[in-house]
Structures are given as C-alpha cells and as structure tokens.
Amino acid sequence: MLKDKLLSLIVPVYFEEECIEQFITETTKVLEEHSINYEIIFIDDGSKDNTVELIKAQALNNKNLKLIEFSYNHGKQAALTAGITYAEGDYLLMMDPDLQDPPIEIPSFIRKIEEGYDLVFGVRKEKKDNIINVIFSKLFWWILERFTGLNLPRGLAVMRIFNRRFTNQFLKYNESSRFIEGMFMHVGMKQATITIEQRERFAGVSKFNFSRKLNLAFDAILDFSDLPLKNIIRIGSYMVAFGFFAAFFIVIAKLLLIDFQMGWASIMVSMLIGFGIQLIMMGIVGVYVGKIYKQVKQRPLYSVKTITNLADK
C-alpha cells in the first residue's frame, strides 16, 4: 500500500507523556504491517513534561519520526499549520496522540482518498467520552453549525486525510486567526467522509476543554460569519418598527380613545426609536468593517474542484 507515495502523519502534542509511546508503538505497527512509506511529524505546542524527550528517544531509532518544537504554547491550530507546512508527503493525515481515533483506521483513509478525493473526513460512529464532554462537544458543534453556516459533517473526528493538491491550496491561506475545519470547508475541492470507530482515550485527560472549545467557536463565528452583525441590524430594525407602531397607537389613543397625560410613553417611544436607529447604524458600520477584515485576510478568491483539458496551476 502506497509503495510509491509518502504518507505524512501530522500529530500535535501538548503534555502527552502518558500516551505518546503507546501512540508511536500502535501507529508504526499498523504502518509497517501495510508496507506504507511514512513520516510522523510531531509538533510540540510548548509541553513542560517529558513529551519531547520521549519523542526524541524514539526518533533515535526511527528516522521517520520527526519533531517540531514550539518555543511556547501557540494553540492547536498553529501546531497543525506548522505540521502541514513541513510535511513532504503525497498524502497528509491528521491525528491526535490520545488514540481515541485508532491507528487501525489509517488504511481505510488511504483506500478512500485513492478513489480520487482531495479530502476525506473521518466521522465517528459514537463519541466515547464522559457525559459532560459529550454534552459540551455537541453544544460546540451546534454553535458552529448554527452561527457559522459551515456545512461541517456531524460527529467529525480528528482523523482526516488530504492530498498534496489540497495542501498547496490550504497553504495559500495566510490568516493569523485560524479555524482549521472552517478553512478546510472554504478550500472545498472534492470531499468525502468515512465512518470510523472510536475508543476511549488511552491515558490522561483532554487538553481541549470546554473553555478552549468556546474560544475556538467564537473565533470561528468571527472568521466565517457576519451573522452577528446582520442580527444587530435586524434587532435595530425591529425596535424602530415597533417604536413607530407604538407612537401611532399612542396618538390614536390620545385623540380618539383615552384622555391621558402625555410624558413617559412618548419618551419611551422616542428612546426605542433612537436606540433602534443607533443599532442599525452600528450594524452597517460593522458590516463594512467585516468586509475590510475579510479583505485583509487575503483568502484565495476561488477554489477549483476539477479542471478539464487545462494544466493545473
């Protein structure tokens, strides 16, 4: 399998001393049993435990194990980007070292992408974790789906494989705020999913807690959606419309129905209309700023899925 091609595994690590050796043992066993040419690129995101020393010790006996050490913690998105940048493989496969996505699924990813896809997502049959993490995870993905408009597969696993053509397109994205899943969807091209097994974490606890997920979801919303800005304009419009309706009702009531003292009602209506107009103006300014934000990112204007009778560029 893949005798003439190289598979690069991209593995970000952060305080993973409890499971890194087991990961290397299980993963290299699968790769060698299937005669896969490989390199495993670990990206240490500023660990202070023995993670780096354990990887270096294994790398002495296996030149296919490679390591990038960050000076300090930059976050998983930066670590993945560094791994993708340094990878030399024809295919790149992302994995976490906790073994929740089992290495035995690697051949399935290779077989699927060899069918001609540019990107293959892994989708978990069932998330095996404690009930709190399961709830937080579902909430995280619901927020992303609801507020970003990204058509991400449900039950998305960390494991996913993509080819060199997809990699080259991805590396054109130079933005500093990076939501990898959103960028993958923005790159587009020919995608597929496969369903994979999942098992419980081999050791330790996940470093991607709810707080980190919430921050990532917030970044994703700001990076890929102008829905909050448009909602501000909608709320302002509703307030102005309701204010004018209330003003009309007060005038009719005063003239035809009830003789009451004018004062607080007219003030409240004026404030409602005034605040509504301010929200509309703020929303419009925000939309313009959002367009400048998108322009500054300098994302590619288009992503080609396939070409016919033309050279690839």
Side-chain angles (χ1 to χ4, degrees):
M1 182 176 280
L2 285 188
K3 290 183 179 178
D4 300 326
K5 295 180 179 177
L6 177 66
L7 174 68
S8 297
L9 270 66
I10 312 298
V11 187
V13 293
Y14 184 58
F15 289 92
E16 301 289 0
E17 64 179 4
E18 295 171 297
C19 57
I20 194 66
E21 289 182 312
Q22 183 68 20
F23 172 82
I24 293 172
T25 300
E26 288 194 29
T27 304
T28 54
K29 181 181 177 183
V30 171
L31 294 167
E32 289 167 4
E33 283 180 350
H34 289 81
S35 302
I36 298 172
N37 294 323
Y38 72 93
E39 62 174 1
I40 303 179
I41 301 178
F42 295 99
I43 310 96
D44 180 68
D45 194 15
S47 301
K48 302 298 183 186
D49 60 358
N50 292 319
T51 302
V52 168
E53 286 70 24
L54 292 171
I55 295 173
K56 284 183 175 178
Q58 296 276 342
L60 288 175
N61 301 318
N62 186 347
K63 298 303 179 186
N64 294 326
L65 304 183
K66 303 172 182 180
L67 173 65
I68 301 168
E69 292 181 65
F70 279 178
S71 302
Y72 53 90
N73 181 248
H74 290 270
K76 188 174 182 179
Q77 310 296 309
L80 289 170
T81 302
I84 294 170
T85 302
Y86 280 89
E88 297 179 348
D90 300 284
Y91 295 131
L92 285 71
L93 177 65
M94 288 167 45
M95 290 187 72
D96 272 351
D98 57 12
L99 293 170
Q100 284 191 295
D101 294 343
I104 57 172
E105 298 286 359
I106 292 174
S108 301
F109 278 91
I110 294 174
R111 281 192 290 270
K112 190 66 179 178
I113 201 164
E114 288 273 270
E115 293 177 9
Y117 294 101
D118 297 299
L119 168 67
V120 177
F121 283 114
V123 176
R124 292 168 176 164
K125 287 182 180 176
E126 180 186 3
K127 185 172 178 61
K128 294 183 177 179
D129 210 334
N130 64 61
I131 186 65
I132 300 297
N133 283 341
V134 171
I135 292 173
F136 283 165
S137 182
K138 287 185 177 180
L139 179 60
F140 169 72
W141 289 109
W142 179 83
I143 291 173
L144 289 182
E145 186 176 283
R146 178 67 181 82
F147 293 101
T148 65
L150 295 170
N151 189 25
L152 293 166
R154 288 286 183 94
L156 195 62
V158 173
M159 286 183 82
R160 65 207 59 170
I161 191 170
F162 41 97
N163 59 18
R164 176 52 56 182
R165 181 167 171 261
F166 185 93
T167 303
N168 293 339
Q169 188 69 17
F170 171 82
L171 292 176
K172 293 179 182 177
Y173 288 68
N174 296 316
E175 55 211 69
S176 57
S177 178
R178 306 173 75 82
F179 175 53
I180 296 290
E181 283 75 11
M183 293 169 67
F184 275 22
M185 298 306 295
H186 197 269
V187 171
M189 304 177 78
K190 193 174 181 182
Q191 303 181 2
T193 61
I194 60 171
T195 304
I196 64 172
E197 299 286 347
Q198 195 205 17
R199 64 193 206 197
E200 293 187 1
R201 184 183 173 87
F202 174 74
V205 296
S206 173
K207 315 304 182 298
F208 195 48
N209 55 30
F210 183 67
S211 175
R212 286 175 180 258
K213 287 180 180 177
L214 201 59
N215 288 334
L216 183 60
F218 190 65
D219 285 343
I221 293 169
L222 294 181
D223 286 347
F224 288 92
S225 174
D226 56 2
L227 185 62
L229 298 174
K230 291 179 177 176
N231 280 342
I232 288 175
I233 295 176
R234 288 193 186 98
I235 292 171
S237 301
Y238 293 149
M239 290 175 67
V240 171
F242 182 74
F244 278 114
F245 175 78
F248 177 76
F249 178 79
I250 290 171
V251 171
I252 295 298
K254 176 68 176 177
L255 294 177
L256 304 177
L257 301 175
I258 308 171
D259 185 16
F260 58 89
Q261 184 65 40
M262 294 292 289
W264 71 268
S266 56
I267 292 174
M268 291 298 293
V269 166
S270 300
M271 291 177 62
L272 188 64
I273 295 174
F275 286 138
I277 292 173
Q278 287 185 35
L279 281 181
I280 293 173
M281 295 298 110
M282 288 173 59
I284 292 173
V285 172
V287 169
Y288 277 115
V289 173
K291 289 182 181 296
I292 295 172
Y293 181 54
K294 287 182 179 177
Q295 182 67 25
V296 170
K297 286 177 178 292
Q298 295 186 331
R299 287 176 177 165
L301 292 178
Y302 54 84
S303 175
V304 176
K305 185 175 181 180
T306 57
I307 54 176
T308 303
N309 294 335
L310 285 171
D312 198 3
K313 294 185 178 179

